[in-house]
Amino acid sequence: MKIKLFYFARLKESLKYSTEDLELSEADGPWTILKLKALLSKRGDVWGQMLMGKLKVRAAINHELVHDNAAIADGDEVAFFPPVTGG
Amino acid sequence: MTVRVQTEDFDAGFEIDQLRRARRDVGAVVSFIGQVRDINEGDEVSQLTLEHYPGMTEKSLDAIISQAKTRWNIMDVLIIHRVGTLQPCDQIVLVAVSGGHRGEAFAACAFVMDYLKTEAPFWKKELTQSGERWVEAKTSDDEARERWDKTQEKTPK
């Protein structure tokens, strides 16, 4: 299945990615946020530090904040970002 | 309800006036303006850059307004939040709430700001003399939001 990924703020800067299209193997499913983080962390040290390290990371699926165990479906827009600091 | 995320500055006086004049049964308008400070964590700040998540940010602000309208007897809510590069003394955010009476409008305005600071996807990066750094989320902001979650009463203790 295909998903669209977005990264924001410190993650975007450190990973040097703002967006990407990703193909997830159906055979390895079902996919959750935690499983996706684990997959992306294999790309290298900075990925592991940013997604599975000490820094807090929040995730959204289709513009809704979700927890690590949230399920990802085909066509979803998934985003990773640090805790928010607006206002 | 109105939500605007924009790089341009806004005229708070004009916006508040519009909200006030929109209905003849409005008895109170409560507003909050956030401004860029020239200091943070003891360091001089010369510039602030705000990033957001187009689409999700607007939806999140809409959802916060809907929650406020469910909880309080208020008439309208306006949120304007700026993004891009700002300087000290620049306005960042305006929240204005209109209602029949002040009590519910005051509470709803505080609620919207507390939720905005902890739920709406905005991120601040500041420029200090030692370079650029991302602003860290504060636990005091989380606590400010949580006090609304702990009670269904209209004013948290």
Side-chain angles (χ1 to χ4, degrees), chain B residues 20-27 75:
Chain B
R20 180 176 62 77
R21 290 164 181 268
R23 291 171 56 158
R24 293 171 66 89
D25 55 349
V26 166
M75 288 167 186

PDB file of all heavy atoms in Angstrom, chain B residues 20-27 75:
ATOM      1  N   ARG B  20     -17.689  42.362  17.351  1.00  0.00           N
ATOM      2  CA  ARG B  20     -18.602  43.058  18.265  1.00  0.00           C
ATOM      3  C   ARG B  20     -19.859  43.538  17.543  1.00  0.00           C
ATOM      4  O   ARG B  20     -20.978  43.398  18.041  1.00  0.00           O
ATOM      5  CB  ARG B  20     -17.869  44.251  18.892  1.00  0.00           C
ATOM      6  CG  ARG B  20     -18.702  45.066  19.866  1.00  0.00           C
ATOM      7  CD  ARG B  20     -17.880  46.162  20.497  1.00  0.00           C
ATOM      8  NE  ARG B  20     -17.368  47.126  19.522  1.00  0.00           N
ATOM      9  CZ  ARG B  20     -18.079  48.091  18.959  1.00  0.00           C
ATOM     10  NH1 ARG B  20     -19.365  48.220  19.245  1.00  0.00           N
ATOM     11  NH2 ARG B  20     -17.527  48.920  18.099  1.00  0.00           N
ATOM     12  N   ARG B  21     -19.683  44.063  16.338  1.00  0.00           N
ATOM     13  CA  ARG B  21     -20.821  44.630  15.606  1.00  0.00           C
ATOM     14  C   ARG B  21     -21.655  43.598  14.867  1.00  0.00           C
ATOM     15  O   ARG B  21     -22.717  43.929  14.335  1.00  0.00           O
ATOM     16  CB  ARG B  21     -20.317  45.627  14.555  1.00  0.00           C
ATOM     17  CG  ARG B  21     -19.743  46.901  15.124  1.00  0.00           C
ATOM     18  CD  ARG B  21     -18.947  47.606  14.031  1.00  0.00           C
ATOM     19  NE  ARG B  21     -18.330  48.831  14.510  1.00  0.00           N
ATOM     20  CZ  ARG B  21     -18.907  50.033  14.429  1.00  0.00           C
ATOM     21  NH1 ARG B  21     -20.101  50.163  13.914  1.00  0.00           N
ATOM     22  NH2 ARG B  21     -18.273  51.086  14.877  1.00  0.00           N
ATOM     23  N   ALA B  22     -21.162  42.341  14.795  1.00  0.00           N
ATOM     24  CA  ALA B  22     -21.820  41.336  13.974  1.00  0.00           C
ATOM     25  C   ALA B  22     -23.247  41.041  14.434  1.00  0.00           C
ATOM     26  O   ALA B  22     -24.110  40.698  13.641  1.00  0.00           O
ATOM     27  CB  ALA B  22     -20.997  40.048  13.956  1.00  0.00           C
ATOM     28  N   ARG B  23     -23.484  41.152  15.747  1.00  0.00           N
ATOM     29  CA  ARG B  23     -24.814  40.842  16.293  1.00  0.00           C
ATOM     30  C   ARG B  23     -25.173  41.861  17.354  1.00  0.00           C
ATOM     31  O   ARG B  23     -24.337  42.272  18.140  1.00  0.00           O
ATOM     32  CB  ARG B  23     -24.803  39.446  16.932  1.00  0.00           C
ATOM     33  CG  ARG B  23     -24.665  38.338  15.920  1.00  0.00           C
ATOM     34  CD  ARG B  23     -24.438  36.996  16.581  1.00  0.00           C
ATOM     35  NE  ARG B  23     -25.487  36.640  17.543  1.00  0.00           N
ATOM     36  CZ  ARG B  23     -25.727  35.384  17.904  1.00  0.00           C
ATOM     37  NH1 ARG B  23     -25.023  34.384  17.390  1.00  0.00           N
ATOM     38  NH2 ARG B  23     -26.674  35.111  18.778  1.00  0.00           N
ATOM     39  N   ARG B  24     -26.445  42.184  17.402  1.00  0.00           N
ATOM     40  CA  ARG B  24     -26.881  43.183  18.394  1.00  0.00           C
ATOM     41  C   ARG B  24     -27.071  42.578  19.781  1.00  0.00           C
ATOM     42  O   ARG B  24     -27.239  43.311  20.750  1.00  0.00           O
ATOM     43  CB  ARG B  24     -28.168  43.854  17.925  1.00  0.00           C
ATOM     44  CG  ARG B  24     -27.949  44.705  16.692  1.00  0.00           C
ATOM     45  CD  ARG B  24     -29.259  45.191  16.105  1.00  0.00           C
ATOM     46  NE  ARG B  24     -29.952  46.113  16.991  1.00  0.00           N
ATOM     47  CZ  ARG B  24     -29.775  47.431  16.992  1.00  0.00           C
ATOM     48  NH1 ARG B  24     -28.918  47.966  16.142  1.00  0.00           N
ATOM     49  NH2 ARG B  24     -30.454  48.198  17.811  1.00  0.00           N
ATOM     50  N   ASP B  25     -27.042  41.227  19.865  1.00  0.00           N
ATOM     51  CA  ASP B  25     -27.161  40.612  21.193  1.00  0.00           C
ATOM     52  C   ASP B  25     -25.793  40.269  21.799  1.00  0.00           C
ATOM     53  O   ASP B  25     -25.718  39.619  22.831  1.00  0.00           O
ATOM     54  CB  ASP B  25     -28.074  39.379  21.153  1.00  0.00           C
ATOM     55  CG  ASP B  25     -27.652  38.344  20.134  1.00  0.00           C
ATOM     56  OD1 ASP B  25     -26.760  38.650  19.292  1.00  0.00           O
ATOM     57  OD2 ASP B  25     -28.193  37.229  20.159  1.00  0.00           O
ATOM     58  N   VAL B  26     -24.714  40.702  21.153  1.00  0.00           N
ATOM     59  CA  VAL B  26     -23.376  40.541  21.748  1.00  0.00           C
ATOM     60  C   VAL B  26     -23.253  41.524  22.916  1.00  0.00           C
ATOM     61  O   VAL B  26     -23.517  42.709  22.758  1.00  0.00           O
ATOM     62  CB  VAL B  26     -22.263  40.826  20.707  1.00  0.00           C
ATOM     63  CG1 VAL B  26     -20.904  40.988  21.393  1.00  0.00           C
ATOM     64  CG2 VAL B  26     -22.184  39.723  19.665  1.00  0.00           C
ATOM     65  N   GLY B  27     -22.860  40.988  24.077  1.00  0.00           N
ATOM     66  CA  GLY B  27     -22.698  41.880  25.229  1.00  0.00           C
ATOM     67  C   GLY B  27     -21.243  41.980  25.664  1.00  0.00           C
ATOM     68  O   GLY B  27     -20.876  42.834  26.460  1.00  0.00           O
ATOM     69  N   MET B  75     -20.993  33.186  21.295  1.00  0.00           N
ATOM     70  CA  MET B  75     -21.571  33.419  19.979  1.00  0.00           C
ATOM     71  C   MET B  75     -20.599  33.125  18.856  1.00  0.00           C
ATOM     72  O   MET B  75     -20.891  32.386  17.941  1.00  0.00           O
ATOM     73  CB  MET B  75     -22.080  34.846  19.879  1.00  0.00           C
ATOM     74  CG  MET B  75     -23.338  35.027  20.723  1.00  0.00           C
ATOM     75  SD  MET B  75     -23.746  36.755  20.919  1.00  0.00           S
ATOM     76  CE  MET B  75     -25.113  36.621  22.058  1.00  0.00           C
TER      77      MET B  75
END
